[in-house]
Amino acid sequence: MKKIIIAFLALAIITGVESCKKKKAFKNEDGQASEDNRNVQSQTDDAMSDADNAMSSYVSLTGKYIQKPAEIQATPCGASIDTTGLSTGTIKINYDGVTVCSNRKRSGSIRLTLQNYSQGKRWKDSMAVLQVDYSNYKVTRASDNKSIMFNGTHYVTNVVGGNIWTLIFGGNPVIRTVTGSGLVVTFDDGSVTSWNINRKYTYTKSGTVYTCTGEGIGTFNGETSLENWGTTREGDNFTSKVVTP
């Protein structure tokens, strides 16, 4: 059994590969595990951004005082929002699979459910939890048709309350955690993998400067500060650690 460790330090990527029987030099690897990790993180981050923006566009979900200003409300590129379940705290983002946005096409859907909505919880509230369900959510790079498809569930927690608009207009920090286990990721070569995600993002404002700090908050097999772990295309176990937030 081979274990791949992917550690992130600032903008540098350090990848080491260990075998139970022997060390294996990185030059013998093709770097696919590192590339996949970056791509999965990038696409799930974008999906979380769509989710956050969509939630902030509906006063009944987000809470009145921090609804996104009407003049900058927007539906995600290449998508429509199904509000059939709005009264129960659920909306659904449906992607058309045709529109090219920033060199990518997206298909499938993402369902967003605000937990404890019927008990009065709103997305503006501290410790509000958003359940994010991927259903054949597929991202295809338009330039070469390489794709990644996601099925499974994430949970986004609004740790201290507020959203991007309270940060911009009030200067209040915003903290989000994104967690989930057993996310099924399917690559364009047919490989099916399992991913666990445990990340924390802190957004702050100082004057006109905005900062986002990313951390790994997961623990697995004695490893800490993990943002991702699971299996690679080849079936090897891997962990991805944030060494410095």
Side-chain angles (χ1 to χ4, degrees):
M1 174 61 68
K2 188 168 60 178
K3 179 182 178 183
I4 298 177
I5 303 172
I6 306 170
F8 290 87
L9 175 59
L11 296 179
I13 299 173
I14 306 168
T15 303
V17 181
E18 289 184 316
S19 171
C20 295
K21 293 184 178 179
K22 63 180 180 178
K23 296 282 186 178
K24 187 172 184 179
F26 178 71
K27 66 181 181 181
N28 290 330
E29 296 290 328
D30 59 8
Q32 189 66 61
S34 294
E35 181 181 354
D36 287 345
N37 187 70
R38 291 193 299 272
N39 288 337
V40 168
Q41 178 174 331
S42 176
Q43 300 310 327
T44 54
D45 280 351
D46 284 349
M48 294 304 100
S49 179
D50 280 357
D52 207 350
N53 287 333
M55 291 295 294
S56 297
S57 293
Y58 295 93
V59 64
S60 61
L61 296 177
T62 195
K64 186 174 182 179
Y65 78 89
I66 58 166
Q67 181 186 16
K68 183 188 292 188
E71 67 273 15
I72 48 179
Q73 289 187 26
T75 299
C77 182
S80 61
I81 298 180
D82 181 353
T83 60
T84 303
L86 188 60
S87 63
T88 60
T90 298
I91 58 176
K92 188 177 182 181
I93 306 174
N94 294 310
Y95 297 89
D96 63 19
V98 176
T99 305
V100 177
C101 311
S102 301
N103 193 35
R104 64 179 182 173
K105 296 180 290 184
R106 296 184 290 177
S107 60
S109 64
I110 301 175
R111 186 175 70 239
L112 310 174
T113 303
L114 185 60
Q115 295 190 345
N116 298 314
Y117 179 81
S118 62
Q119 284 75 49
K121 202 72 171 177
R122 296 298 181 264
W123 188 227
K124 69 178 177 62
D125 297 335
S126 173
M127 299 308 294
V129 177
L130 181 66
Q131 180 174 325
V132 181
D133 295 307
Y134 298 95
S135 179
N136 292 329
Y137 173 65
K138 185 177 182 179
V139 183
T140 302
R141 194 160 57 197
S143 58
D144 58 12
N145 284 321
K146 289 187 177 297
S147 65
I148 307 175
M149 185 169 69
F150 302 91
N151 283 282
T153 301
H154 279 165
Y155 296 92
V156 185
T157 301
N158 189 0
V159 178
V160 298
N163 69 2
I164 190 66
W165 307 111
T166 59
L167 172 65
I168 292 173
F169 299 114
N172 302 316
V174 175
I175 301 174
R176 299 279 197 267
T177 61
V178 181
T179 61
S181 60
L183 183 69
V184 178
V185 180
T186 304
F187 294 95
D188 52 88
D189 64 357
S191 301
V192 180
T193 64
S194 178
W195 290 64
N196 304 283
I197 295 179
N198 221 313
R199 300 200 291 266
K200 177 182 177 182
Y201 298 102
T202 301
Y203 304 87
T204 56
K205 177 185 178 184
S206 178
T208 58
V209 177
Y210 295 86
T211 301
C212 175
T213 301
E215 302 174 63
I217 57 175
T219 300
F220 179 71
N221 277 355
E223 296 283 347
T224 60
S225 300
L226 299 180
E227 59 168 0
N228 301 324
W229 68 92
T231 56
T232 68
R233 299 190 191 205
E234 292 76 24
D236 298 320
N237 294 327
F238 80 90
T239 58
S240 174
K241 174 181 289 192
V242 178
V243 179
T244 302

